[in-house]
Amino acid sequence: VPASIFTYVFAIDQFIENSIGNLAGPAVGILANKVFHYDRTAINKGGCAPEEATKLGMGMFWVCNVSWVLCFAFYACIHCTYPTDRRRQLAIRRGQTQDSWGDCKGACGASSDQDSVDQFDTDSDGDSDVDNAQVEAPARRAAVPAAA
């Protein structure tokens, strides 16, 4: 994320996360009442109601686990699309299109994929982003056609 819009992106992230998170409480209540037939009157009698506690616990279990499965699915999708998105953003930052990787490598005169990645892959403070460069170099090697 470019430094100029980091606070904006963080604010949107927090808005989405907290908006969805605030729906968990009502979802547990609705699920316990409608699906597991939670009986509120059993609690009002003042006695212990382990059956009702189990029903409420099942509502919490399903809300939490469905949320975690959805979260895992979204992060799995991001994991699959991140390398392509990152390469596209690096190309945009350099003023090039995704299709011109081969031209860039030849024009830079770099001795290896690692050198060409280190030359362009810097973060906002100018330090080389070596960890990401080492991960991306094999992907670029496969994407750039070899010169005949």
Side-chain angles (χ1 to χ4, degrees), residues 9 25 33 44 59-60 62 65 72 85 94 100 121 128 148:
V9 171
N33 279 334
N44 291 336
M60 292 172 62
W62 282 104
N65 283 306
F72 174 77
D85 293 341
R94 288 190 302 264
S100 64
D121 194 10
S128 179

Side-chain angles (χ1 to χ4, degrees), residues 28-57:
V28 167
I30 291 169
L31 193 63
N33 279 334
K34 302 292 182 184
V35 175
F36 299 110
H37 308 291
Y38 181 75
D39 184 18
R40 286 181 276 170
T41 59
I43 303 299
N44 291 336
K45 295 176 186 173
C48 183
E51 300 86 20
E52 302 311 311
T54 301
K55 293 175 185 177
L56 188 58

